[in-house]
C-alpha cells in the first residue's frame, strides 16, 4: 500500500512536469531624444463612438448575396486641442496695449483611449468577404482628418479659450492693459 502511495505521488509529479508551460516577455526601450515643446491645450473633448466596417465579396463588380460582414468597434477618448505656444507672438501696439497673434489650432493628442473588442455580424457566406483590419479602423478614428474636423467644429470655443488664457496672463501684470487678438487661418 505504501508503494502504491509513493508510486502515485511520483506519477503525479511526473505528469505535472509533462504539462508545464513557460512564457517569457521582454520589452526593451531606449529614449533617443527629449524635446521641449510648448503646446498649450485649450480644449479637451470627450468623444465616444461606434466605428463600422462593412464588407462583401464581389464577382465582376456584382456583390455576392449573403456575403456581407459587418465589424463594429466601440470607442471613447479625450481629444486635446490647442496651439503651439512657441508660435504665439505678443507685441506692443502702443502705450498700455498689446496685440497677441495666435497660430493655427492643432490637435495635440488623445488621452485615455479605450477601444472595446470588435463585434462581428456575419451572414451565411460572409467567410467569402475579407476580414476588417481593426488597426486600420482605429487609425481612421484617430486620424489627422478627424483632428481637423474637431478643430473646425470647435473653432469658436478655441478662440474664446485662447483669448481668455492670454488675456489672463497679460492683465495679471497690469489690469489696465488693452489686448487685441489676431488668429491665423
Amino acid at each position: 500500500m505504501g508503494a502504491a502511495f509513493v508510486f502515485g505521488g511520483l506519477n503525479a509529479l511526473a505528469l505535472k512536469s509533462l504539462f508545464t508551460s513557460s512564457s517569457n516577455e521582454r520589452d526593451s526601450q531606449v529614449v533617443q531624444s527629449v524635446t521641449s515643446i510648448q503646446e498649450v491645450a485649450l480644449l479637451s473633448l470627450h468623444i465616444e463612438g461606434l466605428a463600422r466596417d462593412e464588407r462583401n465579396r464581389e464577382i465582376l463588380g456584382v456583390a455576392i448575396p449573403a456575403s456581407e460582414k459587418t465589424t463594429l468597434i466601440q470607442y471613447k477618448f479625450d481629444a486635446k486641442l490647442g496651439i503651439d505656444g512657441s508660435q504665439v507672438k505678443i507685441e506692443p501696439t502702443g502705450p498700455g496695449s498689446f496685440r497677441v497673434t495666435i497660430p493655427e489650432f492643432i490637435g495635440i493628442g488623445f488621452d485615455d483611449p479605450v477601444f472595446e473588442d470588435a463585434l462581428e455580424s456575419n451572414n451565411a457566406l460572409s467567410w467569402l468577404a475579407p476580414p476588417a483590419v481593426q488597426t486600420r479602423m482605429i487609425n481612421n478614428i484617430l486620424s489627422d482628418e478627424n483632428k481637423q474636423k474637431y478643430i473646425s467644429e470647435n473653432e469658436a470655443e478655441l478662440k474664446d479659450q485662447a483669448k481668455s488664457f492670454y488675456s489672463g496672463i497679460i492683465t495679471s501684470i497690469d489690469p489696465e492693459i488693452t489686448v487685441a487678438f489676431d488668429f491665423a487661418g
Side-chain angles (χ1 to χ4, degrees), residues 38 83-90 100-104 166 184:
Q38 296 179 19
I83 55 174
D84 179 353
S86 68
Q87 301 295 316
V88 173
K89 292 187 175 89
I90 302 174
V100 179
T101 305
I102 305 290
E104 288 188 24
Y166 283 101

Side-chain angles (χ1 to χ4, degrees), residues 76-131:
K76 61 183 174 181
F77 55 84
D78 294 326
K80 302 285 187 182
L81 307 177
I83 55 174
D84 179 353
S86 68
Q87 301 295 316
V88 173
K89 292 187 175 89
I90 302 174
E91 303 167 320
T93 56
S97 65
F98 287 88
R99 175 170 311 285
V100 179
T101 305
I102 305 290
E104 288 188 24
F105 296 111
I106 58 172
I108 293 174
F110 301 102
D111 283 345
D112 305 320
V114 175
F115 294 92
E116 300 294 333
D117 291 336
L119 300 173
E120 231 175 54
S121 172
N122 298 312
N123 284 322
L125 298 176
S126 63
W127 55 272
L128 293 171

Side-chain angles (χ1 to χ4, degrees), residues 11-160:
N11 198 13
L13 290 173
L15 283 175
K16 183 178 178 186
S17 67
L18 286 176
F19 297 105
T20 62
S21 65
S22 69
S23 65
N24 187 5
E25 292 184 26
R26 295 192 93 163
D27 183 9
S28 179
Q29 295 182 353
V30 176
V31 176
Q32 295 294 331
S33 67
V34 176
T35 305
S36 296
I37 57 171
Q38 296 179 19
E39 294 173 331
V40 178
L42 298 171
L43 289 179
S44 176
L45 309 174
H46 182 74
I47 297 171
E48 295 186 23
L50 189 64
R52 179 184 194 107
D53 183 282
E54 296 176 334
R55 296 170 180 253
N56 62 14
R57 177 61 72 187
E58 295 179 354
I59 296 179
L60 300 173
V62 177
I64 298 173
S67 69
E68 296 86 13
K69 178 185 293 189
T70 303
T71 304
L72 301 171
I73 296 179
Q74 185 176 356
Y75 61 90
K76 61 183 174 181
F77 55 84
D78 294 326
K80 302 285 187 182
L81 307 177
I83 55 174
D84 179 353
S86 68
Q87 301 295 316
V88 173
K89 292 187 175 89
I90 302 174
E91 303 167 320
T93 56
S97 65
F98 287 88
R99 175 170 311 285
V100 179
T101 305
I102 305 290
E104 288 188 24
F105 296 111
I106 58 172
I108 293 174
F110 301 102
D111 283 345
D112 305 320
V114 175
F115 294 92
E116 300 294 333
D117 291 336
L119 300 173
E120 231 175 54
S121 172
N122 298 312
N123 284 322
L125 298 176
S126 63
W127 55 272
L128 293 171
V133 181
Q134 294 176 25
T135 52
R136 186 177 305 141
M137 291 175 70
I138 291 170
N139 287 339
N140 286 339
I141 293 166
L142 301 176
S143 69
D144 288 338
E145 292 82 19
N146 280 338
K147 284 182 190 176
Q148 206 53 51
K149 180 182 83 168
Y150 302 144
I151 290 168
S152 296
E153 291 172 350
N154 295 283
E155 189 168 2
E157 292 87 356
L158 285 164
K159 286 180 177 180
D160 288 345

